[in-house]
Amino acid sequence: MNTKRTRVSISNMLINLFFTLFSLTFIIPFLMVLAVSLSNEEDIQNFGYKIIPMRFDIMGYRWVFSNPQQIIDSYKFTALQSILGTILAVVVMALCAYSLSRRNFKLRGPITYMIFFTMVFSGGLMPSYILTKQYLHLDDTLWVYILPVLASPFQIIVFRTFFQELPPSLIESAKMDGASEWRIFFQIVMPLSKPVMATISLICLLDRWNNWNTSLLYIREQKLYTLQYLLQRILREADYIRSIAQDDPMGALGAQAKQIPMETMMFAMCVVAAGPMLLVFPFFQKYFARGLTVGAVKG
């Protein structure tokens, strides 16, 4: 009996050790990014990356926040379009998926096929650009971040799969009590769908927060830049200054370029861009694991 318990305890220790080491592969790179962003530029050039800074230096953050009002405005706009876009996308996709999950909906087969078809074939960049800019006139507006990506075919199918697993008796009993379809969806289906709602919301929020391509293609007004695109512009401008300064290393521009901490600034940008999402994830964590198993085969 003791031998059996010893074997179980050893196996548990090995499993815990494996997952501890596996978790470190995710934690150490993040600590490395944070450490490099707080390191001295000369130390990085001379000794390479260290998980503990040899000399703490916030010069990278000073360059990133050289125009703090611009960064703050970009933070606000990115948060606005991310939260608003996520809420609208989740509601629209959930409504579409709920209709497709109902067996008495006659057109659910053709509509599901049309949605699945868009996962395999797409119009491409040029048709979407022409449609968004020349026909819908969404360029230089908030809605260019929201409407073109309001629904994802894959996420609609995930929603539909979860809704199909809900007991049909709940909906039938609610109908017998006189509840409308809208009331059934918002007061019965949605409260029971917190895992899939949280999972899809987190995916949508991350996708919109990290969006920079839309600003590159459609936005010319600086106040509508997303945070990711603004940080890329700051990095490109700093890199351009350094490339120009190589032709005149003794001039004023050359002296300014030598002061730009390119390495620490890049890692500081990573922290600035990813920081808010690291704070948001714990609120979704308890639903996220369950939401990922939507559609899994049950034993």
Side-chain angles (χ1 to χ4, degrees):
M1 192 71 177
N2 292 332
T3 305
K4 188 175 182 180
R5 288 182 178 177
T6 303
R7 290 177 179 176
V8 172
S9 62
I10 292 175
S11 63
N12 288 336
M13 289 177 58
L14 292 175
I15 292 173
N16 292 333
L17 179 62
F18 169 76
F19 281 106
T20 300
L21 295 176
F22 188 70
S23 300
L24 289 177
T25 61
F26 297 94
I27 297 174
I28 291 177
F30 173 73
L31 295 178
M32 182 71 73
V33 170
L34 184 62
V36 174
S37 69
L38 295 171
S39 299
N40 184 271
E41 183 77 8
E42 294 182 359
D43 293 342
I44 295 176
Q45 294 177 355
N46 296 330
F47 304 103
Y49 299 150
K50 302 289 184 180
I51 198 168
I52 298 178
M54 300 180 66
R55 288 184 294 174
F56 284 92
D57 192 344
I58 60 172
M59 186 60 68
Y61 290 95
R62 289 180 179 176
W63 276 90
V64 172
F65 289 95
S66 57
N67 188 350
Q69 189 60 46
Q70 188 180 31
I71 295 290
I72 293 173
D73 292 341
S74 183
Y75 256 119
K76 291 179 181 179
F77 179 77
T78 304
L80 173 63
Q81 65 91 10
S82 299
I83 295 173
L84 180 60
T86 298
I87 293 173
L88 291 178
V90 169
V91 172
V92 169
M93 290 189 293
L95 285 170
C96 178
Y98 174 69
S99 301
L100 298 176
S101 68
R102 299 297 301 276
R103 298 186 180 276
N104 58 353
F105 181 45
K106 296 181 180 179
L107 296 177
R108 71 172 189 154
I111 294 178
T112 301
Y113 174 78
M114 291 173 61
I115 292 174
F116 176 77
F117 185 83
T118 61
M119 293 176 59
V120 182
F121 301 98
S122 64
L125 177 61
M126 289 305 299
S128 62
Y129 179 84
I130 294 172
L131 176 64
T132 302
K133 184 175 178 63
Q134 297 187 4
Y135 289 91
L136 300 180
H137 303 289
L138 296 177
D139 54 312
D140 283 327
T141 64
L142 169 65
W143 299 107
V144 75
Y145 294 99
I146 299 174
L147 295 182
V149 290
L150 192 61
S152 167
F154 174 75
Q155 293 169 3
I156 291 175
I157 292 175
V158 172
F159 267 123
R160 188 200 65 169
T161 304
F162 187 90
F163 292 154
Q164 287 177 339
E165 295 178 355
L166 297 177
S169 57
L170 289 174
I171 298 175
E172 293 175 1
S173 60
K175 275 194 167 185
M176 291 178 63
D177 292 336
S180 63
E181 292 287 355
W182 290 101
R183 188 172 184 180
I184 292 172
F185 176 76
F186 284 105
Q187 295 187 2
I188 297 177
V189 175
M190 288 194 72
L192 294 174
S193 305
K194 288 182 180 179
V196 70
M197 291 283 183
T199 303
I200 299 300
S201 297
L202 180 60
I203 295 173
C204 290
L205 187 63
L206 288 172
D207 183 60
R208 283 163 172 76
W209 183 268
N210 294 323
N211 183 9
W212 62 271
N213 190 46
T214 301
S215 298
L216 176 65
L217 293 175
Y218 302 108
I219 301 300
R220 298 296 175 266
E221 295 186 20
Q222 190 170 340
K223 64 180 182 180
L224 298 179
Y225 286 165
T226 59
L227 178 65
Q228 306 290 347
Y229 181 68
L230 179 62
L231 294 177
Q232 284 193 11
R233 282 179 60 93
I234 294 174
L235 185 62
R236 287 201 303 267
E237 289 172 0
D239 188 58
Y240 178 74
I241 291 174
R242 295 195 68 171
S243 64
I244 294 297
Q246 291 178 357
D247 299 332
D248 186 20
M250 304 303 295
L253 191 60
Q256 182 183 4
K258 292 179 180 179
Q259 299 176 0
I260 300 177
M262 292 297 296
E263 291 290 334
T264 58
M265 187 171 67
M266 286 191 293
F267 285 87
M269 287 179 179
C270 293
V271 176
V272 170
M277 291 298 100
L278 294 176
L279 299 176
V280 168
F281 180 76
F283 296 98
F284 293 87
Q285 187 175 6
K286 64 179 181 179
Y287 300 111
F288 193 69
R290 184 182 170 191
L292 288 176
T293 61
V294 172
V297 178
K298 297 181 178 180

